[in-house]
Amino acid sequence: MTPLAIISIIIVYFGILIGISHYISKKDSSNDAFFSANKNAKWYLVAFGMIGTALSGVTFISVPGEVGSPNGEQFKYFQFVLGNAVGFLLTASILLPLYYKYNLVSIYTYIEKKLGHYSYKSAATIFLLSRTIGSAFRLYLVVIVLQRYVFDYFGIPFFATVLIALLLIYAYTYKGGLKTIIVTDTLQTFFLVASVIFTIIFICHSLDLSAVEAFETIKNSNYSKVFFFEDFISSRYHFLKQFIGGIFVTLAMVGLDQDLMQKNLSCKNIKEAQKNMYSFTAIFVVINLFFLGVGALLYIYAEKNGISVPLDLASGKPRTDLLFPEIAFNYLSIVPAIVFLLGLTAATFATTDSALTALTTSFCIDFLHMDKKKDDKSNVWKRKLVHLAFSLLMFLVIILFNAINDASVVSMIFKIASYTYGPLLGLFTFAILFNNRAVKDKVVPYICLVAPFITLWISNNSATLLGGYIFDNELILVNGLITVLLLFIASTKRIEPITE
Protein backbone atom coordinates (compact mmCIF):
# COMPACT_ATOMS: atom_id res chain seq x y z
CA MET A 1 0.00 0.00 0.00
CA THR A 2 1.58 3.28 -1.11
CA PRO A 3 1.96 6.31 1.19
CA LEU A 4 -0.09 8.38 -1.28
CA ALA A 5 -3.00 5.95 -0.94
CA ILE A 6 -2.73 6.10 2.85
CA ILE A 7 -2.82 9.90 2.90
CA SER A 8 -5.82 9.91 0.54
CA ILE A 9 -7.73 7.61 2.89
CA ILE A 10 -6.86 9.78 5.91
CA ILE A 11 -8.09 12.92 4.08
CA VAL A 12 -11.41 11.26 3.20
CA TYR A 13 -11.73 9.90 6.73
CA PHE A 14 -11.34 13.30 8.38
CA GLY A 15 -13.52 14.93 5.76
CA ILE A 16 -16.35 12.66 6.93
CA LEU A 17 -15.71 13.48 10.62
CA ILE A 18 -15.62 17.23 9.98
CA GLY A 19 -18.81 16.95 7.92
CA ILE A 20 -20.57 15.15 10.77
CA SER A 21 -19.31 17.75 13.24
CA HIS A 22 -20.58 20.64 11.11
CA TYR A 23 -24.02 19.04 10.75
CA ILE A 24 -24.40 18.27 14.48
CA SER A 25 -23.06 21.57 15.83
CA LYS A 26 -24.63 24.04 13.39
CA LYS A 27 -27.82 24.23 15.48
CA ASP A 28 -26.19 24.14 18.89
CA SER A 29 -22.57 24.89 19.78
CA SER A 30 -23.33 26.04 23.33
CA ASN A 31 -21.30 25.06 26.37
CA ASP A 32 -24.08 22.71 27.49
CA ALA A 33 -23.74 20.82 24.21
CA PHE A 34 -19.95 20.81 24.48
CA PHE A 35 -19.72 19.74 28.15
CA SER A 36 -22.66 17.34 28.54
CA ALA A 37 -24.36 16.88 25.12
CA ASN A 38 -27.39 18.60 26.69
CA LYS A 39 -27.83 15.51 28.91
CA ASN A 40 -29.70 13.88 26.05
CA ALA A 41 -27.29 11.25 24.65
CA LYS A 42 -28.55 7.80 23.70
CA TRP A 43 -27.05 5.19 26.02
CA TYR A 44 -26.34 2.67 23.24
CA LEU A 45 -24.37 5.25 21.24
CA VAL A 46 -22.37 6.17 24.35
CA ALA A 47 -21.71 2.50 25.16
CA PHE A 48 -20.45 1.66 21.68
CA GLY A 49 -18.48 4.89 21.27
CA MET A 50 -16.72 4.42 24.60
CA ILE A 51 -14.91 1.38 23.16
CA GLY A 52 -12.99 3.67 20.82
CA THR A 53 -12.14 5.97 23.72
CA ALA A 54 -11.04 3.17 26.06
CA LEU A 55 -8.89 1.44 23.42
CA SER A 56 -6.17 3.79 22.19
CA GLY A 57 -4.04 3.39 19.09
CA VAL A 58 -1.31 2.07 21.38
CA THR A 59 -3.65 -0.71 22.52
CA PHE A 60 -4.45 -1.41 18.87
CA ILE A 61 -0.82 -2.19 18.02
CA SER A 62 0.75 -3.00 21.41
CA VAL A 63 -1.66 -5.63 22.74
CA PRO A 64 -1.25 -7.86 19.65
CA GLY A 65 2.49 -7.18 19.65
CA GLU A 66 2.98 -8.21 23.28
CA VAL A 67 1.46 -11.65 22.65
CA GLY A 68 4.75 -12.80 21.14
CA SER A 69 7.03 -10.78 23.40
CA PRO A 70 10.32 -12.48 24.33
CA ASN A 71 9.19 -12.04 27.96
CA GLY A 72 6.57 -14.73 27.38
CA GLU A 73 3.50 -12.56 27.95
CA GLN A 74 1.15 -14.53 25.65
CA PHE A 75 -2.48 -13.85 26.69
CA LYS A 76 -1.60 -12.63 30.22
CA TYR A 77 -3.19 -9.25 29.39
CA PHE A 78 -6.61 -10.92 29.51
CA GLN A 79 -6.21 -11.36 33.28
CA PHE A 80 -5.96 -7.56 33.50
CA VAL A 81 -9.01 -7.19 31.22
CA LEU A 82 -11.08 -9.40 33.54
CA GLY A 83 -10.11 -7.06 36.38
CA ASN A 84 -11.09 -4.11 34.18
CA ALA A 85 -14.56 -5.67 33.76
CA VAL A 86 -15.06 -5.85 37.54
CA GLY A 87 -13.83 -2.25 37.82
CA PHE A 88 -16.38 -1.10 35.24
CA LEU A 89 -19.18 -2.85 37.13
CA LEU A 90 -18.10 -1.22 40.41
CA THR A 91 -17.96 2.16 38.67
CA ALA A 92 -21.51 1.67 37.41
CA SER A 93 -22.87 0.59 40.80
CA ILE A 94 -20.93 2.91 43.16
CA LEU A 95 -19.57 5.99 41.38
CA LEU A 96 -22.22 6.75 38.74
CA PRO A 97 -25.03 7.01 41.33
CA LEU A 98 -22.93 9.58 43.23
CA TYR A 99 -22.29 11.66 40.12
CA TYR A 100 -25.95 11.65 39.11
CA LYS A 101 -27.11 12.36 42.66
CA TYR A 102 -25.20 15.65 42.65
CA ASN A 103 -25.91 16.34 38.94
CA LEU A 104 -22.20 16.85 38.24
CA VAL A 105 -20.65 18.15 35.02
CA SER A 106 -17.09 17.84 36.32
CA ILE A 107 -16.81 14.84 38.64
CA TYR A 108 -14.19 16.65 40.74
CA THR A 109 -16.76 19.04 42.17
CA TYR A 110 -17.79 16.08 44.36
CA ILE A 111 -14.44 16.41 46.16
CA GLU A 112 -15.17 20.10 46.86
CA LYS A 113 -18.49 19.18 48.45
CA LYS A 114 -16.86 16.56 50.67
CA LEU A 115 -13.31 17.67 51.41
CA GLY A 116 -12.91 21.34 50.50
CA HIS A 117 -11.52 23.83 48.00
CA TYR A 118 -7.85 22.79 47.95
CA SER A 119 -8.74 19.10 47.76
CA TYR A 120 -11.01 19.87 44.82
CA LYS A 121 -8.33 21.83 42.97
CA SER A 122 -5.81 19.05 43.68
CA ALA A 123 -8.09 16.41 42.14
CA ALA A 124 -8.75 18.52 39.05
CA THR A 125 -5.05 19.33 38.65
CA ILE A 126 -4.13 15.64 38.91
CA PHE A 127 -6.54 14.88 36.08
CA LEU A 128 -5.30 17.74 33.86
CA LEU A 129 -1.66 16.72 34.34
CA SER A 130 -2.16 12.96 34.03
CA ARG A 131 -4.53 13.05 31.07
CA THR A 132 -2.41 15.56 29.13
CA ILE A 133 0.75 13.46 29.51
CA GLY A 134 -1.09 10.16 29.01
CA SER A 135 -2.94 11.24 25.87
CA ALA A 136 0.17 12.89 24.42
CA PHE A 137 2.14 9.70 25.06
CA ARG A 138 -0.44 7.54 23.27
CA LEU A 139 -0.71 9.87 20.29
CA TYR A 140 3.08 10.16 20.12
CA LEU A 141 3.58 6.39 19.80
CA VAL A 142 1.01 6.12 17.01
CA VAL A 143 2.31 9.18 15.13
CA ILE A 144 5.72 7.47 15.12
CA VAL A 145 4.13 4.59 13.19
CA LEU A 146 2.46 6.93 10.69
CA GLN A 147 5.68 8.91 10.35
CA ARG A 148 7.70 5.76 9.64
CA TYR A 149 5.32 4.23 7.10
CA VAL A 150 3.81 7.34 5.47
CA PHE A 151 5.07 10.84 6.14
CA ASP A 152 8.81 10.17 5.89
CA TYR A 153 8.13 9.17 2.27
CA PHE A 154 6.95 12.73 1.53
CA GLY A 155 9.68 14.39 3.59
CA ILE A 156 7.14 15.80 6.04
CA PRO A 157 8.86 16.52 9.39
CA PHE A 158 7.61 14.95 12.61
CA PHE A 159 6.38 18.22 14.14
CA ALA A 160 4.22 18.88 11.06
CA THR A 161 2.66 15.41 11.32
CA VAL A 162 1.75 16.01 14.96
CA LEU A 163 0.43 19.51 14.25
CA ILE A 164 -1.74 18.28 11.37
CA ALA A 165 -3.17 15.47 13.52
CA LEU A 166 -4.12 17.81 16.38
CA LEU A 167 -5.53 20.49 14.08
CA LEU A 168 -7.74 17.90 12.41
CA ILE A 169 -9.04 16.81 15.81
CA TYR A 170 -9.63 20.43 16.81
CA ALA A 171 -11.49 21.06 13.55
CA TYR A 172 -14.23 18.53 14.30
CA THR A 173 -14.49 18.99 18.09
CA TYR A 174 -14.15 22.71 18.87
CA LYS A 175 -17.83 23.53 18.23
CA GLY A 176 -19.86 20.54 19.33
CA GLY A 177 -17.50 18.94 21.83
CA LEU A 178 -19.12 15.96 23.55
CA LYS A 179 -22.29 16.21 21.44
CA THR A 180 -20.17 15.72 18.30
CA ILE A 181 -17.82 13.14 19.81
CA ILE A 182 -20.62 10.79 20.85
CA VAL A 183 -21.54 10.43 17.16
CA THR A 184 -18.04 10.54 15.63
CA ASP A 185 -16.69 8.06 18.19
CA THR A 186 -19.52 5.68 17.37
CA LEU A 187 -18.39 5.77 13.74
CA GLN A 188 -14.74 5.42 14.75
CA THR A 189 -15.50 2.49 17.05
CA PHE A 190 -17.27 0.79 14.13
CA PHE A 191 -14.07 1.11 12.09
CA LEU A 192 -12.02 -0.15 15.04
CA VAL A 193 -14.16 -3.25 15.65
CA ALA A 194 -14.47 -3.97 11.93
CA SER A 195 -10.70 -3.68 11.57
CA VAL A 196 -10.05 -6.29 14.25
CA ILE A 197 -12.61 -8.73 12.86
CA PHE A 198 -11.54 -8.33 9.24
CA THR A 199 -7.85 -8.60 10.15
CA ILE A 200 -8.58 -11.99 11.72
CA ILE A 201 -10.46 -13.03 8.56
CA PHE A 202 -7.67 -11.87 6.23
CA ILE A 203 -4.89 -13.58 8.18
CA CYS A 204 -6.91 -16.79 8.49
CA HIS A 205 -7.42 -16.71 4.73
CA SER A 206 -3.69 -16.18 4.17
CA LEU A 207 -2.92 -19.16 6.44
CA ASP A 208 -5.68 -21.29 4.85
CA LEU A 209 -7.44 -21.69 8.19
CA SER A 210 -11.14 -21.85 8.93
CA ALA A 211 -12.48 -20.17 12.07
CA VAL A 212 -12.41 -23.47 13.98
CA GLU A 213 -8.92 -24.32 12.69
CA ALA A 214 -7.68 -20.84 13.61
CA PHE A 215 -9.00 -21.29 17.16
CA GLU A 216 -7.28 -24.67 17.47
CA THR A 217 -4.05 -23.29 15.98
CA ILE A 218 -3.97 -20.43 18.49
CA LYS A 219 -4.88 -22.80 21.34
CA ASN A 220 -2.03 -25.17 20.47
CA SER A 221 0.52 -22.42 19.82
CA ASN A 222 3.10 -20.93 22.18
CA TYR A 223 1.06 -17.73 22.48
CA SER A 224 -2.21 -18.76 24.14
CA LYS A 225 -1.50 -19.08 27.86
CA VAL A 226 -4.07 -16.94 29.69
CA PHE A 227 -3.73 -17.59 33.41
CA PHE A 228 -0.44 -17.34 35.28
CA PHE A 229 -0.43 -18.76 38.82
CA GLU A 230 3.28 -19.45 39.15
CA ASP A 231 5.52 -17.54 41.54
CA PHE A 232 3.21 -14.99 43.17
CA ILE A 233 6.09 -13.21 44.91
CA SER A 234 8.43 -12.35 42.04
CA SER A 235 6.34 -12.67 38.87
CA ARG A 236 4.58 -9.60 37.47
CA TYR A 237 2.24 -11.85 35.49
CA HIS A 238 0.54 -13.63 38.40
CA PHE A 239 -3.24 -13.70 38.06
CA LEU A 240 -3.96 -11.92 41.35
CA LYS A 241 -1.60 -9.03 40.55
CA GLN A 242 -3.09 -8.55 37.10
CA PHE A 243 -6.71 -9.02 38.21
CA ILE A 244 -6.55 -6.78 41.29
CA GLY A 245 -4.55 -4.22 39.32
CA GLY A 246 -7.18 -4.29 36.58
CA ILE A 247 -9.95 -3.53 39.08
CA PHE A 248 -8.29 -0.54 40.73
CA VAL A 249 -6.67 0.87 37.59
CA THR A 250 -10.17 0.94 36.08
CA LEU A 251 -11.72 2.56 39.16
CA ALA A 252 -9.04 5.27 39.16
CA MET A 253 -8.32 5.82 35.46
CA VAL A 254 -11.91 5.38 34.24
CA GLY A 255 -14.32 5.85 37.15
CA LEU A 256 -12.41 8.85 38.54
CA ASP A 257 -11.34 10.24 35.17
CA GLN A 258 -13.35 13.08 33.66
CA ASP A 259 -12.74 11.75 30.14
CA LEU A 260 -14.77 8.53 30.17
CA MET A 261 -17.15 9.66 32.91
CA GLN A 262 -18.13 12.75 30.91
CA LYS A 263 -19.72 10.50 28.31
CA ASN A 264 -21.63 8.56 30.95
CA LEU A 265 -22.94 11.78 32.46
CA SER A 266 -24.39 12.80 29.10
CA CYS A 267 -27.13 10.15 29.42
CA LYS A 268 -30.63 11.21 30.48
CA ASN A 269 -30.61 9.44 33.84
CA ILE A 270 -28.69 7.01 36.03
CA LYS A 271 -30.50 3.93 34.68
CA GLU A 272 -29.46 4.70 31.11
CA ALA A 273 -25.91 5.49 32.22
CA GLN A 274 -25.65 2.15 34.03
CA LYS A 275 -27.16 0.34 31.06
CA ASN A 276 -24.45 1.97 28.97
CA MET A 277 -21.67 0.80 31.35
CA TYR A 278 -22.91 -2.78 31.50
CA SER A 279 -23.15 -3.03 27.70
CA PHE A 280 -19.77 -1.37 27.26
CA THR A 281 -18.16 -3.85 29.69
CA ALA A 282 -19.35 -6.87 27.71
CA ILE A 283 -18.12 -5.40 24.39
CA PHE A 284 -14.82 -4.36 25.96
CA VAL A 285 -14.00 -7.88 27.16
CA VAL A 286 -14.85 -9.49 23.81
CA ILE A 287 -12.95 -6.96 21.68
CA ASN A 288 -9.82 -7.34 23.81
CA LEU A 289 -9.99 -11.11 23.36
CA PHE A 290 -10.11 -10.47 19.60
CA PHE A 291 -7.03 -8.23 19.88
CA LEU A 292 -5.13 -11.03 21.59
CA GLY A 293 -6.28 -13.45 18.90
CA VAL A 294 -4.97 -11.08 16.24
CA GLY A 295 -1.62 -11.02 18.04
CA ALA A 296 -1.28 -14.80 18.05
CA LEU A 297 -2.23 -15.03 14.37
CA LEU A 298 0.24 -12.27 13.45
CA TYR A 299 3.13 -14.21 15.02
CA ILE A 300 2.00 -17.48 13.45
CA TYR A 301 1.83 -15.69 10.07
CA ALA A 302 5.25 -14.11 10.64
CA GLU A 303 6.84 -17.49 11.45
CA LYS A 304 5.34 -19.09 8.37
CA ASN A 305 6.55 -16.30 6.08
CA GLY A 306 9.93 -15.64 7.69
CA ILE A 307 9.02 -12.13 8.90
CA SER A 308 11.10 -10.68 11.74
CA VAL A 309 9.87 -8.19 14.32
CA PRO A 310 10.87 -4.71 13.00
CA LEU A 311 13.70 -2.90 14.75
CA ASP A 312 13.36 0.41 16.56
CA LEU A 313 15.23 3.04 14.51
CA ALA A 314 16.63 4.74 17.62
CA SER A 315 17.74 1.77 19.74
CA GLY A 316 18.13 -0.92 17.07
CA LYS A 317 16.16 -3.35 19.28
CA PRO A 318 13.08 -5.36 18.13
CA ARG A 319 9.80 -3.49 18.70
CA THR A 320 6.84 -5.83 18.95
CA ASP A 321 4.28 -3.02 18.50
CA LEU A 322 5.56 -2.50 14.93
CA LEU A 323 4.78 -6.06 13.82
CA PHE A 324 1.09 -5.37 13.13
CA PRO A 325 1.69 -2.32 10.87
CA GLU A 326 4.68 -4.05 9.23
CA ILE A 327 2.56 -7.03 8.14
CA ALA A 328 -0.53 -4.95 7.31
CA PHE A 329 1.29 -2.43 5.11
CA ASN A 330 3.98 -4.61 3.52
CA TYR A 331 2.73 -8.21 3.35
CA LEU A 332 -1.07 -8.29 3.14
CA SER A 333 -3.08 -7.02 0.18
CA ILE A 334 -4.41 -3.47 -0.15
CA VAL A 335 -7.82 -4.19 1.43
CA PRO A 336 -6.38 -5.52 4.74
CA ALA A 337 -3.95 -2.58 4.74
CA ILE A 338 -6.85 -0.12 4.39
CA VAL A 339 -8.76 -1.92 7.14
CA PHE A 340 -5.73 -1.74 9.46
CA LEU A 341 -5.22 1.96 8.70
CA LEU A 342 -8.86 2.77 9.46
CA GLY A 343 -8.72 0.81 12.71
CA LEU A 344 -5.48 2.44 13.86
CA THR A 345 -6.72 5.92 12.93
CA ALA A 346 -10.06 5.35 14.65
CA ALA A 347 -8.48 4.02 17.85
CA THR A 348 -6.00 6.89 17.98
CA PHE A 349 -8.30 9.80 17.32
CA ALA A 350 -11.31 8.49 19.26
CA THR A 351 -9.05 8.54 22.32
CA THR A 352 -7.44 11.92 21.66
CA ASP A 353 -10.58 13.85 20.70
CA SER A 354 -12.32 12.63 23.84
CA ALA A 355 -9.32 13.58 26.00
CA LEU A 356 -9.13 17.12 24.59
CA THR A 357 -12.83 17.63 25.21
CA ALA A 358 -12.55 16.33 28.78
CA LEU A 359 -9.49 18.50 29.51
CA THR A 360 -11.35 21.54 28.20
CA THR A 361 -14.42 20.69 30.27
CA SER A 362 -12.46 20.17 33.47
CA PHE A 363 -10.54 23.44 33.11
CA CYS A 364 -13.65 25.45 32.21
CA ILE A 365 -15.70 24.02 35.10
CA ASP A 366 -13.06 23.45 37.77
CA PHE A 367 -10.97 26.59 37.25
CA LEU A 368 -13.09 29.07 35.24
CA HIS A 369 -16.37 27.96 36.92
CA MET A 370 -18.41 28.28 33.73
CA ASP A 371 -21.11 26.07 35.22
CA LYS A 372 -21.92 28.96 37.59
CA LYS A 373 -22.04 31.60 34.87
CA LYS A 374 -24.56 32.40 32.19
CA ASP A 375 -23.86 30.47 28.96
CA ASP A 376 -23.31 33.53 26.79
CA LYS A 377 -21.12 34.18 23.73
CA SER A 378 -18.13 35.28 25.80
CA ASN A 379 -18.09 31.96 27.66
CA VAL A 380 -18.35 30.04 24.40
CA TRP A 381 -15.35 31.91 23.01
CA LYS A 382 -13.38 31.32 26.22
CA ARG A 383 -14.16 27.62 25.98
CA LYS A 384 -12.96 27.51 22.36
CA LEU A 385 -9.72 29.23 23.35
CA VAL A 386 -9.18 26.76 26.20
CA HIS A 387 -9.79 23.91 23.75
CA LEU A 388 -7.19 25.34 21.37
CA ALA A 389 -4.75 25.90 24.24
CA PHE A 390 -4.92 22.25 25.31
CA SER A 391 -4.42 21.16 21.69
CA LEU A 392 -1.25 23.29 21.54
CA LEU A 393 -0.11 22.02 24.95
CA MET A 394 -0.45 18.43 23.78
CA PHE A 395 1.53 19.34 20.66
CA LEU A 396 4.36 20.73 22.81
CA VAL A 397 4.40 17.65 25.07
CA ILE A 398 4.65 15.32 22.06
CA ILE A 399 7.46 17.40 20.56
CA LEU A 400 9.24 17.16 23.93
CA PHE A 401 8.86 13.37 23.90
CA ASN A 402 10.36 13.25 20.42
CA ALA A 403 13.23 15.56 21.42
CA ILE A 404 14.11 13.24 24.32
CA ASN A 405 14.39 10.45 21.72
CA ASP A 406 14.73 7.79 24.41
CA ALA A 407 11.87 5.29 24.65
CA SER A 408 12.75 4.33 28.23
CA VAL A 409 12.72 7.96 29.43
CA VAL A 410 9.43 8.73 27.67
CA SER A 411 7.89 5.57 29.13
CA MET A 412 9.13 6.63 32.57
CA ILE A 413 7.38 10.03 32.21
CA PHE A 414 4.16 8.24 31.28
CA LYS A 415 4.58 5.87 34.24
CA ILE A 416 5.07 8.81 36.62
CA ALA A 417 1.89 10.41 35.27
CA SER A 418 0.01 7.17 35.89
CA TYR A 419 1.20 7.24 39.52
CA THR A 420 -0.84 10.38 40.12
CA TYR A 421 -4.09 8.46 39.70
CA GLY A 422 -3.35 6.78 43.06
CA PRO A 423 -3.97 10.01 45.03
CA LEU A 424 -7.15 10.50 43.00
CA LEU A 425 -8.27 7.04 44.10
CA GLY A 426 -7.37 7.94 47.70
CA LEU A 427 -9.22 11.27 47.64
CA PHE A 428 -12.49 9.75 46.41
CA THR A 429 -12.18 6.75 48.75
CA PHE A 430 -11.71 9.03 51.76
CA ALA A 431 -14.54 11.32 50.65
CA ILE A 432 -16.95 8.38 50.27
CA LEU A 433 -15.99 6.29 53.33
CA PHE A 434 -15.03 8.90 55.95
CA ASN A 435 -17.97 11.25 55.96
CA ASN A 436 -17.50 11.80 59.70
CA ARG A 437 -13.96 13.23 59.38
CA ALA A 438 -12.85 16.71 58.25
CA VAL A 439 -9.51 16.81 56.48
CA LYS A 440 -7.13 19.77 56.83
CA ASP A 441 -7.86 21.01 53.35
CA LYS A 442 -4.68 23.05 52.78
CA VAL A 443 -2.51 19.98 53.50
CA VAL A 444 -4.13 17.86 50.78
CA PRO A 445 -2.03 19.15 47.81
CA TYR A 446 1.13 18.10 49.68
CA ILE A 447 -0.33 14.67 50.42
CA CYS A 448 -1.10 14.23 46.70
CA LEU A 449 2.55 15.03 45.94
CA VAL A 450 4.08 12.86 48.65
CA ALA A 451 1.99 9.68 48.19
CA PRO A 452 3.26 8.84 44.64
CA PHE A 453 6.89 9.27 45.74
CA ILE A 454 6.38 6.96 48.74
CA THR A 455 4.74 4.47 46.38
CA LEU A 456 7.62 4.73 43.91
CA TRP A 457 10.12 4.13 46.72
CA ILE A 458 8.18 1.07 47.90
CA SER A 459 8.02 -0.26 44.32
CA ASN A 460 11.75 0.21 43.75
CA ASN A 461 12.65 -1.47 47.04
CA SER A 462 9.89 -4.06 47.33
CA ALA A 463 12.23 -6.98 46.63
CA THR A 464 14.25 -6.04 49.71
CA LEU A 465 11.40 -4.82 51.92
CA LEU A 466 8.89 -7.56 51.12
CA GLY A 467 10.97 -10.69 50.67
CA GLY A 468 11.42 -10.51 46.92
CA TYR A 469 7.90 -9.28 46.10
CA ILE A 470 7.62 -7.47 42.75
CA PHE A 471 4.72 -5.08 42.12
CA ASP A 472 2.84 -4.65 38.86
CA ASN A 473 -0.53 -2.99 38.19
CA GLU A 474 -1.74 -3.63 41.76
CA LEU A 475 0.66 -0.88 42.87
CA ILE A 476 -2.10 1.69 42.29
CA LEU A 477 -3.98 0.16 45.24
CA VAL A 478 -0.93 0.75 47.47
CA ASN A 479 -0.76 4.35 46.21
CA GLY A 480 -4.42 4.91 47.02
CA LEU A 481 -4.12 3.35 50.49
CA ILE A 482 -1.11 5.53 51.34
CA THR A 483 -3.13 8.60 50.29
CA VAL A 484 -6.09 7.51 52.46
CA LEU A 485 -3.79 6.91 55.43
CA LEU A 486 -2.16 10.34 55.09
CA LEU A 487 -5.58 12.00 54.70
CA PHE A 488 -6.81 10.21 57.83
CA ILE A 489 -3.75 11.41 59.79
CA ALA A 490 -4.41 14.97 58.53
CA SER A 491 -8.08 14.91 59.56
CA THR A 492 -10.18 15.35 62.68
CA LYS A 493 -13.57 14.02 63.66
CA ARG A 494 -16.47 16.20 62.50
CA ILE A 495 -18.86 17.46 65.10
CA GLU A 496 -21.63 16.97 62.54
CA PRO A 497 -21.11 14.77 59.46
CA ILE A 498 -21.93 16.28 56.07
CA THR A 499 -25.60 15.77 55.28
CA GLU A 500 -26.32 14.06 52.00
Side-chain angles (χ1 to χ4, degrees):
M1 188 175 183
T2 66
L4 183 61
I6 294 174
I7 282 192
S8 300
I9 291 169
I10 291 174
I11 291 172
V12 172
Y13 182 87
F14 278 101
I16 293 171
L17 294 183
I18 292 170
I20 291 172
S21 171
H22 177 73
Y23 176 77
I24 291 173
S25 62
K26 66 180 180 180
K27 292 183 179 179
D28 187 2
S29 59
S30 66
N31 283 346
D32 280 342
F34 187 96
F35 297 147
S36 61
N38 303 116
K39 292 278 187 180
N40 197 33
K42 305 297 182 184
W43 69 266
Y44 45 86
L45 291 180
V46 176
F48 192 65
M50 277 177 61
I51 296 296
T53 303
L55 299 174
S56 68
V58 177
T59 305
F60 191 84
I61 57 178
S62 292
V63 170
E66 286 179 353
V67 168
S69 167
N71 299 327
E73 298 194 19
Q74 302 188 59
F75 275 32
K76 70 94 178 173
Y77 181 69
F78 195 65
Q79 301 175 125
F80 183 72
V81 170
L82 292 175
N84 293 157
V86 175
F88 289 134
L89 297 178
L90 291 174
T91 297
S93 58
I94 298 173
L95 294 175
L96 279 181
L98 283 177
Y99 301 153
Y100 270 86
K101 178 179 181 179
Y102 290 100
N103 193 29
L104 304 181
V105 177
S106 167
I107 62 175
Y108 307 115
T109 51
Y110 175 77
I111 295 296
E112 183 178 34
K113 296 175 187 296
K114 291 289 187 169
L115 302 183
H117 175 79
Y118 290 97
S119 302
Y120 165 45
K121 297 300 181 184
S122 298
T125 301
I126 287 171
F127 166 71
L128 292 175
L129 175 66
S130 304
R131 179 51 70 179
T132 299
I133 294 176
S135 296
F137 176 78
R138 294 180 179 94
L139 184 58
Y140 163 69
L141 292 181
V142 174
V143 169
I144 286 175
V145 173
L146 294 175
Q147 188 72 32
R148 176 170 179 157
Y149 290 97
V150 183
F151 295 99
D152 279 344
Y153 177 84
F154 295 100
I156 298 174
F158 180 82
F159 83 88
T161 304
V162 177
L163 188 61
I164 290 168
L166 288 168
L167 287 176
L168 285 170
I169 293 171
Y170 181 81
Y172 73 84
T173 58
Y174 83 99
K175 280 188 176 181
L178 189 61
K179 190 171 184 178
T180 297
I181 284 173
I182 286 170
V183 178
T184 55
D185 279 5
T186 301
L187 178 65
Q188 297 196 92
T189 299
F190 170 78
F191 285 128
L192 169 62
V193 174
S195 177
V196 176
I197 294 172
F198 280 111
T199 297
I200 292 174
I201 294 171
F202 291 134
I203 296 178
C204 286
H205 178 73
S206 300
L207 295 171
D208 294 322
L209 297 173
S210 66
V212 175
E213 290 171 337
F215 176 81
E216 288 297 323
T217 301
I218 294 172
K219 181 181 175 182
N220 298 323
S221 70
N222 296 322
Y223 307 111
S224 60
K225 185 176 180 179
V226 177
F227 298 107
F228 292 73
F229 294 104
E230 304 85 7
D231 195 8
F232 172 72
I233 298 296
S234 61
S235 174
R236 296 180 184 275
Y237 300 168
H238 194 278
F239 172 77
L240 284 177
K241 294 182 180 181
Q242 294 295 317
F243 184 72
I244 293 172
I247 294 173
F248 287 96
V249 165
T250 299
L251 283 172
M253 300 182 74
V254 175
L256 306 179
D257 184 284
Q258 178 66 25
D259 190 352
L260 281 161
M261 285 301 97
Q262 188 168 351
K263 288 188 173 182
N264 283 278
L265 296 176
S266 68
C267 294
K268 291 180 181 179
N269 52 55
I270 179 61
K271 288 186 178 179
E272 292 214 347
Q274 289 177 321
K275 201 185 300 183
N276 149 54
M277 281 297 292
Y278 297 143
S279 304
F280 160 74
T281 302
I283 300 170
F284 179 84
V285 171
V286 172
I287 200 67
N288 271 289
L289 193 56
F290 280 2
F291 269 117
L292 292 166
V294 167
L297 289 171
L298 284 170
Y299 279 97
I300 292 168
Y301 180 89
E303 288 175 5
K304 182 178 179 180
N305 293 278
I307 303 169
S308 301
V309 175
L311 301 178
D312 180 77
L313 296 178
S315 66
K317 298 178 181 178
R319 257 188 86 166
T320 57
D321 55 5
L322 291 177
L323 181 64
F324 197 174
E326 177 72 18
I327 291 176
F329 287 139
N330 294 330
Y331 292 92
L332 299 179
S333 64
I334 189 168
V335 174
I338 292 172
V339 167
F340 167 80
L341 178 63
L342 289 174
L344 178 63
T345 305
T348 302
F349 292 101
T351 304
T352 309
D353 61 17
S354 181
L356 285 172
T357 301
L359 288 166
T360 302
T361 299
S362 177
F363 191 84
C364 289
I365 301 298
D366 299 325
F367 292 93
L368 301 182
H369 305 292
M370 287 189 184
D371 57 328
K372 299 174 183 177
K373 299 175 183 177
K374 186 179 179 181
D375 191 5
D376 55 21
K377 289 184 179 181
S378 65
N379 274 340
V380 172
W381 273 107
K382 285 179 186 177
R383 180 257 295 166
K384 290 179 180 179
L385 287 174
V386 171
H387 195 52
L388 179 61
F390 274 108
S391 300
L392 294 175
L393 176 60
M394 197 169 292
F395 168 77
L396 293 174
V397 174
I398 294 172
I399 295 303
L400 176 63
F401 285 162
N402 194 54
I404 293 171
N405 198 28
D406 186 325
S408 61
V409 175
V410 173
S411 296
M412 182 187 70
I413 294 171
F414 174 65
K415 185 177 181 179
I416 289 171
S418 69
Y419 268 73
T420 58
Y421 277 95
L424 207 54
L425 181 63
L427 283 170
F428 274 86
T429 300
F430 189 88
I432 293 169
L433 297 182
F434 296 97
N435 192 43
N436 63 336
R437 297 193 69 84
V439 72
K440 294 176 182 177
D441 190 33
K442 290 185 178 181
V443 178
V444 171
Y446 300 102
I447 290 175
C448 292
L449 283 173
V450 169
F453 284 101
I454 296 175
T455 306
L456 182 62
W457 181 82
I458 292 173
S459 176
N460 289 339
N461 296 280
S462 64
T464 303
L465 296 171
L466 303 172
Y469 188 88
I470 302 297
F471 281 101
D472 198 68
N473 292 309
E474 81 281 13
L475 190 63
I476 194 169
L477 175 58
V478 176
N479 199 347
L481 289 173
I482 290 170
T483 306
V484 171
L485 177 62
L486 293 175
L487 288 170
F488 191 87
I489 293 171
S491 67
T492 56
K493 190 171 183 179
R494 292 183 191 275
I495 298 174
E496 293 183 11
I498 297 174
T499 55
E500 295 292 334

